[in-house]
Amino acid sequence: MTVPLDRHYLVELQVSAERISQLRRIVAAHLRHWSLELHVRPVCRAAEELLTNVQRHVGEGNRCVLELRWTGRHLTVSVADDDSRMPRLLDGGGGLSRVMALSDSWGTCRTTEGKVVWFTRYAESPCTTGLLPPAPLPGGRTFVEGPPGGSGPVAESGPVAELV
């Protein structure tokens, strides 16, 4: 399966409880579209934490930018806002502690407009099965796809071993 070198999604929003809920569904849809179903729950939960932190610490209605980027190996989720105060990792299991637990790496970066908080997860392209026909068993039958528009698989005869 060939995966494009880079998949990208970016959205600018004014943060609110309703928008966080909507963005969670949008992120899930993108991950499913990119065949990353196994990552939907942890990525959505961590992204929700980042957006909730913006709502809680920067303020309801402030502008932020959520970005998803998948390279075929790593998925990076970042949230940029216009507040220059850097987040802190606190004990207690919520916020950035939860992001840290749900990701392979995370960090913050100061920007000219404020800051970016990001996390990454290893998310290699899923393997697809059935790309090659199965090897026939000795003396057995194999099934091959029938002609287009046909009624399904067709038995292909081969030497049949006799039981003695």
Side-chain angles (χ1 to χ4, degrees):
M1 175 177 169
T2 304
V3 175
L5 292 179
D6 199 19
R7 300 263 178 123
H8 184 248
Y9 173 74
L10 183 127
V11 63
E12 183 174 342
L13 65 137
Q14 286 190 317
V15 99
S16 68
E18 296 81 28
R19 290 295 289 155
I20 292 171
S21 174
Q22 290 172 346
L23 260 296
R24 183 183 176 105
R25 290 190 300 273
I26 291 169
V27 167
H30 274 83
L31 296 177
R32 287 184 183 105
H33 179 69
W34 295 342
S35 299
L36 298 175
E37 287 84 2
L38 294 175
H39 298 277
V40 169
R41 288 186 85 182
V43 168
C44 286
R45 187 68 190 116
E48 184 178 35
E49 285 292 336
L50 295 183
L51 292 168
T52 300
N53 283 347
V54 172
Q55 179 188 15
R56 186 174 295 138
H57 300 291
V58 179
E60 179 107 7
N62 277 306
R63 182 194 71 81
C64 71
V65 176
L66 174 103
E67 183 175 9
L68 304 175
R69 185 175 297 273
W70 181 47
T71 64
R73 284 202 128 169
H74 295 94
L75 176 69
T76 302
V77 179
S78 64
V79 174
D81 64 55
D82 55 7
D83 187 11
S84 61
R85 294 176 292 165
M86 297 302 283
R88 296 178 308 170
L89 184 61
L90 302 173
D91 292 335
L96 290 178
S97 295
R98 183 163 293 140
V99 171
M100 184 173 69
L102 294 168
S103 64
D104 293 319
S105 63
W106 70 278
T108 62
C109 180
R110 195 174 303 275
T111 65
T112 55
E113 297 86 24
K115 68 180 167 301
V116 175
V117 183
W118 55 268
F119 68 89
T120 62
R121 282 182 60 91
Y122 179 74
E124 190 167 36
S125 173
C127 295
T128 56
T129 58
L131 293 178
L132 297 175
L137 295 173
R141 291 184 169 184
T142 59
F143 290 88
V144 295
E145 284 296 317
S151 60
V154 178
E156 188 178 67
S157 298
V160 177
E162 291 184 30
L163 297 175
V164 194

